[in-house]
Amino acid sequence: MANPNAPFGFSQYSGTGSAPTYEQVPVQIAYDASAIYYGDPVEPDNNGRVARGDGTTGAEGIAGIFVGCKYLSVSQKRTVWSNYWPGTDVASTQTVEGYIINDPNAKFIVQSDATGLTQTAVNLNIGYTIGSGSTATGLSGAYVSGAAATATLPFRVIGLVLDPPGAPGTETVAGGYALGGYNRVIVAFNNVTTKNQTGV
């Protein structure tokens, strides 16, 4: 059975803190920023805020992984806590308080692309494709692709997800550990602002 193509962004696997909040830190999102989904990589902008990543990474690195927000809703006339930022529904005078994980020791589970990743990708750096998030669940559609020995790529492949056998993303090819497309991998930050000395 083939691995399903169902990307879910970057789901925290481990870190310095403890569940369920781990190392979440507050950040500001511009009121008119594009939608940001749970598990999306976010990038710093030049106004001291963060925005949804686009799959390219500047010299300063990514800001972290988005895990929710709160904002004063214009339509509901109350403070809303949400796992994703819809991109609208606040007045222009308001700011959105987002929460990200930027702990340099954090690790995440994420889906690979149609090519998949094998054991030879471990210890290589890797980029991501932002994909399409879901307004129904609020979950990201991001996945990793393009493993290479490129220093500026945002993530480092730490390992393959192999357990439990038969779980989504763990389907093997010919009984070995050469997993097929859309398999799941464990990644860590390689180029994140908390590790990087380059400012915006």
Side-chain angles (χ1 to χ4, degrees):
M1 179 177 175
N3 294 317
N5 179 18
F8 49 87
F10 292 77
S11 177
Q12 187 157 18
Y13 175 74
S14 68
T16 304
S18 58
T21 56
Y22 289 102
E23 307 79 30
Q24 295 178 20
V25 296
V27 292
Q28 285 195 355
I29 303 168
Y31 77 94
D32 57 351
S34 299
I36 309 174
Y37 298 88
Y38 187 98
D40 272 348
V42 291
E43 300 175 349
D45 68 15
N46 55 12
N47 295 310
R49 301 185 177 98
V50 300
R52 188 183 193 209
D54 60 4
T56 63
T57 306
E60 71 280 358
I62 60 171
I65 302 297
F66 182 81
V67 290
C69 63
K70 72 171 181 178
Y71 57 92
L72 182 60
S73 166
V74 171
S75 63
Q76 300 183 51
K77 306 297 188 289
R78 65 181 179 87
T79 298
V80 171
W81 294 80
S82 176
N83 69 338
Y84 85 107
W85 163 238
T88 58
D89 200 23
V90 296
S92 60
T93 57
Q94 301 295 314
T95 57
V96 181
E97 184 172 287
Y99 302 98
I100 65 170
I101 296 167
N102 62 2
D103 170 31
N105 297 312
K107 295 180 178 65
F108 303 89
I109 293 177
V110 62
Q111 180 188 292
S112 67
D113 62 12
T115 302
L117 293 171
T118 64
Q119 190 66 30
T120 57
V122 174
N123 295 323
L124 289 177
N125 296 331
I126 196 163
Y128 70 94
T129 300
I130 196 63
S132 299
S134 168
T135 57
T137 64
L139 295 181
S140 169
Y143 55 92
V144 289
S145 57
T150 304
T152 55
L153 290 173
F155 299 99
R156 170 76 55 91
V157 179
I158 301 299
L160 307 179
V161 176
L162 302 173
D163 295 311
T170 65
E171 187 68 24
T172 58
V173 175
Y177 287 146
L179 285 87
Y182 311 125
N183 64 314
R184 297 181 182 184
V185 296
I186 301 168
V187 299
F189 286 125
N190 175 61
N191 187 13
V192 65
T193 54
T194 49
K195 281 182 165 181
N196 200 316
Q197 296 182 33
T198 302
V200 177

